[in-house]
Amino acid sequence: MSIEFEIPKPIAQQQFVLKTVAEEMMRSVSRQLDEEEHLIPYSYIEFMHAAMRATGAGSLAPRAKATKEVDESKPKRPPIGYQLLAHMLEMLSWGDVGMYLVTPGGGLGAAAVEAAASPEQKQKFLARFGEEKPTFAAMCMTEPGAGSDTSAIKTTAVLDEKTNEWVINGEKIFVTAGHKSMIPDEKFGVGFIVVWASIDPSAGRAGMRGFVVEAGTPGVSVTKLEHKLGIRASDTAAISLVDARVPFENVLGSPTVEKQTQKGFKKAMATFDATRPLVAATGLGVARAALEFVQEKLTESGIEIRYGLPRNKLTNIEREVIDMEIMLRSAWLMVIKAVWMADNGKPNALESSMSKVKAGDVSTKVTQKAVELMGPLGYSREFLLEKWFRDAKITDIYEGTGQINRLVVARQILGYGGKELR
Ligand SMILES: Cc1cc2nc3c(=O)[nH]c(=O)nc-3n(C[C@H](O)[C@H](O)[C@H](O)COP(=O)(O)OP(=O)(O)OC[C@H]3O[C@@H](n4cnc5c(N)ncnc54)[C@H](O)[C@@H]3O)c2cc1C
């Protein structure tokens, strides 16, 4: 088997178009969206929605859809859906990662449905992302008392057998795109959130299920919008659920608990196996923007990096820039491996968390180093570099902090479960 490092043609073509979007539609409004937190970039959202509809890209997670008869005589090309997404997200985040997070198409909510729903549920809940209006979805795992430790989730879902509805109660916080998913806006379609709740608190993680809660469900309200260090174009909401009723069929997975298994929780984790490398890709897009800014400014000052010289012959700044490039490239290779595994149906929990750990470190370090090397240019709001420094940090926080993903990696390598190593 040969290994190719060439970017497949469809990805290269996509990147060419996305670079223009990133330069023309994102960078031009980046500063405004940072300063006017929660301003909604409607023209970007509508453009991306139209473009994604035209190309058939719907929700965040790619679906295996056979559109042509398969010619068995020809060697099968592996699907490249996740690789395509990783490249896309990297480029959009190179443009503006906060704006990328307001790209319609389902985000983490759709990813949770992809990971945990039946084929009928996927059809029912994901079809909306290809319809006329841009539509959002979000995922609610985190609670005031449950972040890294998801076993502490207090939200409950109780089946009302008379009406055949689940009654959900709880408080969710830090929900990315929670506002756009749940608050009516005539320009957007009807969104949803996937709420992780317990159907049997005595069963621990085995009792956890995801529930699709549609916008407009009585008892569900957005109670707060966070003011943040970075990614300020992205809304991060607190959502309260008080006796919120959803139809029986909105539960993702089995409606009963098998106590000896952790199936319910594993579905939640499967969402992250799919999305962590994509989060990693977004952080690396920000880091690449910062590195290229440094390279441009050095070139403008007449400083060229002398590749190929022994390290002891290089100036300090040359060594720093080369080290930043190495960090970026090695992290990117880990992302590509994790998404390649996802595309080829290989379990990638280890590689997925590894890529997120590495990208969390690299995006933080590269943007910090870029600010340091640029001095006042890095600190001034005249340029976007200080913003990228603030934006990058989130890579190491959401979808499992650096520490938690290190734990996942250690458990995978050593063969321990959550109880033995925490
Ligand atoms: C902008 C933003 C968007 C977000 N979007 C979403 C979203 O869409 N949906 C959602 O459900 N959540 C979301 N989150 C929540 C995010 O996933 C959590 O903040 C994260 O999981 C950490 O949980 P916590 O905040 O409760 O911190 P804690 O779990 O309290 O952690 C605090 C610190 O302790 C460390 N720590 C905790 N446990 C251990 C351990 N066992 N070993 C070593 N160190 C440990 C952590 O790494 C961290 O450094 C978002 C957060 C932010 C900031």
Side-chain angles (χ1 to χ4, degrees):
M1 190 165 64
S2 64
I3 298 176
E4 269 181 54
F5 286 99
E6 288 296 314
I7 296 178
K9 225 181 190 175
I11 296 183
Q13 284 163 349
Q14 169 195 265
Q15 292 309 90
F16 181 76
V17 177
L18 288 175
K19 185 158 192 272
T20 310
V21 173
E23 280 171 342
E24 304 295 325
M25 299 195 80
M26 301 177 100
R27 290 278 178 97
S28 55
V29 290
S30 238
R31 178 58 74 194
Q32 185 192 9
L33 291 174
D34 183 50
E35 289 185 349
E36 296 174 42
E37 193 169 11
H38 303 138
L39 187 72
I40 300 178
Y42 286 108
S43 52
Y44 166 76
I45 291 170
E46 278 159 11
F47 173 83
M48 286 304 285
H49 179 61
M52 283 156 65
R53 271 186 97 198
T55 56
S59 73
L60 176 127
R63 276 153 287 165
K65 204 161 74 179
T67 46
K68 288 183 193 159
E69 296 247 324
V70 180
D71 181 352
E72 294 294 343
S73 66
K74 289 192 179 153
K76 276 187 198 144
R77 286 186 65 82
I80 55 167
Y82 275 108
Q83 292 166 72
L84 207 90
L85 266 177
H87 281 87
M88 173 183 182
L89 271 46
E90 194 270 353
M91 185 62 88
L92 291 177
S93 304
W94 176 88
D96 186 296
V97 66
M99 275 182 90
Y100 146 68
L101 287 164
V102 296
T103 307
L108 260 186
V113 171
E114 280 289 350
S118 67
E120 296 73 37
Q121 287 174 318
K122 286 183 196 178
Q123 184 57 36
K124 179 174 172 194
F125 297 123
L126 299 180
R128 69 191 73 194
F129 300 111
E131 285 168 10
E132 202 182 321
K133 289 185 177 181
T135 304
F136 293 85
M139 182 166 97
C140 314
M141 178 87 82
T142 308
E143 298 183 359
S148 301
D149 182 7
T150 47
S151 69
I153 282 179
K154 291 271 185 301
T155 299
T156 54
V158 177
L159 186 62
D160 179 344
E161 285 176 359
K162 280 195 206 124
T163 60
N164 212 22
E165 290 168 322
W166 296 98
V167 184
I168 307 179
N169 281 285
E171 297 291 328
K172 294 291 180 180
I173 55 171
F174 288 111
V175 183
T176 298
H179 188 269
K180 287 184 196 66
S181 302
M182 295 309 270
I183 298 298
D185 184 320
E186 59 177 28
K187 293 193 167 141
F188 302 152
V190 177
F192 64 79
I193 49 176
V194 172
V195 175
W196 289 92
S198 177
I199 57 171
D200 179 357
S202 71
R205 284 180 171 140
M208 264 180 65
R209 296 290 179 278
F211 292 85
V212 175
V213 179
E214 300 271 1
T217 303
V220 184
S221 48
V222 172
T223 52
K224 185 184 174 194
L225 278 183
E226 296 294 335
H227 292 284
K228 306 192 296 294
L229 173 75
I231 56 165
R232 287 156 62 90
S234 161
D235 77 79
T236 309
I239 296 180
S240 153
L241 299 107
V242 181
D243 291 332
R245 288 176 170 269
V246 302
F248 176 79
E249 57 274 14
N250 284 25
V251 61
L252 305 179
S254 163
T256 54
V257 176
E258 299 140 61
K259 293 214 173 171
Q260 297 316 310
T261 75
Q262 293 211 347
K263 271 189 189 162
F265 183 64
K266 281 188 176 150
K267 298 268 186 190
M269 292 303 108
T271 311
F272 293 131
D273 292 346
T275 57
R276 277 175 180 156
L278 300 176
V279 172
T282 65
L284 297 180
V286 181
R288 183 166 67 84
L291 176 59
E292 287 177 3
F293 179 84
V294 172
Q295 289 165 327
E296 275 166 30
K297 291 291 164 204
L298 291 179
T299 307
E300 280 172 23
S301 316
I303 300 170
E304 290 299 331
I305 309 295
R306 293 166 301 156
Y307 295 96
L309 281 188
R311 200 168 165 83
N312 62 341
K313 296 263 177 350
L314 295 170
T315 60
N316 182 53
I317 198 147
E318 287 172 321
R319 278 197 295 269
E320 299 275 30
V321 170
I322 290 171
D323 285 348
M324 288 157 86
E325 289 180 6
I326 292 168
M327 281 195 266
L328 203 55
R329 287 194 193 191
S330 56
W332 181 243
L333 283 176
M334 293 179 90
V335 169
I336 291 300
K337 179 165 184 189
V339 287
W340 176 87
M341 292 177 82
D343 276 337
N344 287 277
K346 296 177 191 293
N348 71 344
L350 171 65
E351 290 75 10
S352 169
S353 283
M354 270 186 176
S355 70
K356 168 87 161 53
V357 168
K358 182 77 177 165
D361 277 357
V362 164
S363 53
T364 310
K365 281 184 190 153
V366 166
T367 52
Q368 185 181 353
K369 184 55 83 178
V371 170
E372 187 186 310
L373 293 178
M374 290 292 98
L377 299 191
Y379 209 70
S380 164
R381 290 175 89 88
E382 191 183 339
F383 299 103
L384 289 168
L385 182 52
E386 61 79 31
K387 176 185 174 304
W388 296 329
F389 169 55
R390 288 184 282 115
D391 286 346
K393 186 60 203 164
I394 194 62
T395 320
D396 204 32
I397 298 177
Y398 56 16
E399 299 205 28
T401 62
Q403 288 85 351
I404 294 305
N405 275 298
R406 279 176 174 81
L407 268 179
V408 176
V409 169
R411 283 181 200 140
Q412 292 279 330
I413 290 174
L414 301 171
Y416 287 134
K419 283 198 182 119
E420 291 102 14
L421 192 58
R422 52 189 159 153

